[in-house]
Amino acid sequence: MAAKPLPGKRGKKSRRVRLVDIAEICGVSLSTASRALAGEKGVRPEIRQQILEAAKIGNYAIPTAVAGQKVILAASSAAMIDYVRNQFTLYVLEGLKERALALGLEIVTRPIADRNEELAVLREAREDPQVAGVLFLTVDDEDMLAATRGFDKPIVLLNGDDPFMRLSSVTPCNRSSARLAADHLIDLGHQRILFLMRPGRRTIERRYEGWQDALHYSGLSVDEDLVVQVEDWLPELAAQAIASRIDARGLDFTAVLAAGDSLAVGAMMGVQQKGFSVPGDVSVMGMDNLPQAAFLNPPLTTMHIPMREIGSAALDLLRDNLSGLPMPPRRVELACHLVERSSTGPRRTPSG
């Protein structure tokens, strides 16, 4: 039997739905409703489903059944390296831990560098009844994702996505964010915009696609020669790549969009090392809005990525999957916004 709408009066603010209302509408005792919502045993599946549906329709705050349990955070090598080098992963973890504290959950971190370590984490999660689910941080390797098929506890990806939508995930909206960044540079008159990236991860590929989207929309040539790749996220590698390009081709661009703030730092260094100014000769823009971006010389224009919110939202998504309501995997993308500072400006018109 489907749950009926909870009673209310039109034109008046609805009063807060109580447990007794849920029990009444479902025709069950108060204790049965309480046990069903708490995930306790002794309630028939069809009755539990009816009670959960009624609670959802009434926007009833279902008491979490995960307080006191553990969530394993499986962090990839890329995430651990990022944690040491800059603050993106740090802030994701801060948001995750703050939300875990509010929910009464314990976060247990496990580094994973290969498939065997991943399988060990999944075994631990399966065998430990106190583990409510698993979060994978910065993992999008297909072989590793394939090992999660059929796993009987919730798994959510942080800062990564499953292209086949087998797993739920939370990421910033990388593609639209890069599109907004490139649009900003185009609005300033720039047409030759380098895209500086460290290839490999799907999240960065989405940013590359956003750069392409902006150029296509504005009728500009999407010249692959404008893509500059580096092997790591180190600013010195980005500086070397930009300086080498200027040595080889001259200043054949007026702006750089970097796929991360650390690369944008290197781009400014490379431009300045060759005797050019930022933003007078070249505008430089990053993505992340790490705190140090405001203290660079010049301060960096960048896209603000909601880092803390990625961790918080992932934990809420995992908890939703424990509610007992059947729901398909979901991809949550968090909006980003432009933070305009002094490293970007109008394209300089050539003299003469």
Side-chain angles (χ1 to χ4, degrees):
M1 180 179 71
K4 295 181 290 184
L6 292 169
K9 293 183 179 180
R10 182 177 297 177
K12 292 187 177 181
K13 184 177 179 180
S14 298
R15 63 178 174 82
R16 186 175 179 179
V17 174
R18 301 170 300 167
L19 182 61
V20 65
D21 299 318
I22 303 294
E24 181 180 350
I25 200 68
C26 294
V28 299
S29 68
L30 197 61
S31 62
T32 297
S34 177
R35 292 200 310 275
L37 294 175
E40 296 177 5
K41 297 180 180 179
V43 181
R44 296 204 310 272
E46 64 273 18
I47 299 298
R48 185 190 308 277
Q49 181 68 20
Q50 180 187 349
I51 293 169
L52 288 169
E53 287 181 1
K56 186 175 183 180
I57 292 170
N59 200 26
Y60 179 77
I62 301 176
T64 178
V66 297
Q69 295 188 338
K70 297 184 290 187
V71 170
I72 294 179
L73 175 69
S76 70
S77 298
M80 301 304 289
I81 290 171
D82 179 83
Y83 181 80
V84 172
R85 287 185 183 167
N86 64 52
Q87 297 163 308
F88 187 96
T89 298
L90 170 66
Y91 287 118
V92 171
L93 294 179
E94 280 191 359
L96 175 65
K97 290 175 180 177
E98 288 171 2
R99 188 64 181 144
L101 182 63
L103 295 175
L105 281 166
E106 177 186 357
I107 302 296
V108 180
T109 303
R110 298 284 184 265
I112 54 172
D114 54 40
R115 184 180 171 89
N116 287 334
E117 290 182 350
E118 180 201 20
L119 292 174
V121 166
L122 293 176
R123 280 197 302 273
E124 178 185 357
R126 180 180 290 112
E127 294 169 3
D128 187 346
Q130 288 299 109
V131 172
V134 182
L135 301 173
F136 279 103
L137 177 60
T138 314
V139 173
D140 53 13
D141 178 80
E142 180 52 37
D143 288 339
M144 298 184 79
L145 294 181
T148 64
R149 294 176 187 170
F151 194 68
D152 55 1
K153 293 184 179 181
I155 294 177
V156 175
L157 305 179
L158 288 82
N159 198 34
D161 63 72
D162 178 1
F164 300 104
M165 290 296 294
R166 294 165 303 210
L167 299 174
S168 293
S169 61
V170 180
T171 67
C173 193
N174 290 296
R175 185 165 182 164
S176 66
S177 180
R179 164 69 187 273
L180 290 171
D183 281 344
H184 174 66
L185 294 171
I186 292 169
D187 289 344
L188 291 170
H190 298 283
Q191 297 183 351
R192 296 278 296 174
I193 304 170
L194 296 188
F195 186 72
L196 179 60
M197 66 184 294
R198 195 275 195 194
R201 298 205 63 236
R202 268 193 291 272
T203 53
I204 303 306
E205 290 298 318
R206 299 294 87 80
R207 295 182 181 186
Y208 165 67
E209 291 164 359
W211 169 78
Q212 288 182 311
D213 291 343
L215 296 183
H216 278 304
Y217 181 81
S218 297
L220 300 175
S221 174
V222 182
D223 186 353
E224 287 303 313
D225 191 46
L226 292 172
V227 179
V228 178
Q229 298 186 2
V230 292
E231 295 181 356
D232 208 339
W233 292 97
L234 300 173
E236 52 265 33
L237 293 181
Q240 181 181 357
I242 294 299
S244 296
R245 182 186 178 96
I246 294 173
D247 285 338
R249 304 168 181 266
L251 197 63
D252 66 337
F253 57 93
T254 65
V256 179
L257 172 58
D261 283 356
S262 61
L263 297 187
V265 171
M268 289 200 295
M269 291 166 52
V271 168
Q272 292 165 344
Q273 285 169 9
K274 303 316 295 183
F276 298 103
S277 67
V278 177
D281 298 303
V282 178
S283 288
V284 176
M285 187 165 182
M287 296 187 69
D288 285 335
N289 194 30
L290 297 173
Q292 59 265 35
F295 302 101
L296 298 172
N297 184 24
L300 181 66
T301 297
T302 186
M303 294 300 298
H304 176 79
I305 306 297
M307 295 171 278
R308 282 190 174 90
E309 290 83 353
I310 291 172
S312 177
L315 201 54
D316 282 337
L317 197 55
L318 185 143
R319 187 183 63 159
D320 287 348
N321 290 340
L322 291 165
S323 69
L325 288 173
M327 58 182 67
R330 290 170 288 168
R331 179 180 297 157
V332 176
E333 293 189 341
L334 303 181
C336 308
H337 65 266
L338 173 71
V339 179
E340 187 173 0
R341 299 192 180 102
S342 305
S343 67
T344 54
R347 177 172 68 94
R348 175 176 290 179
T349 303
S351 59

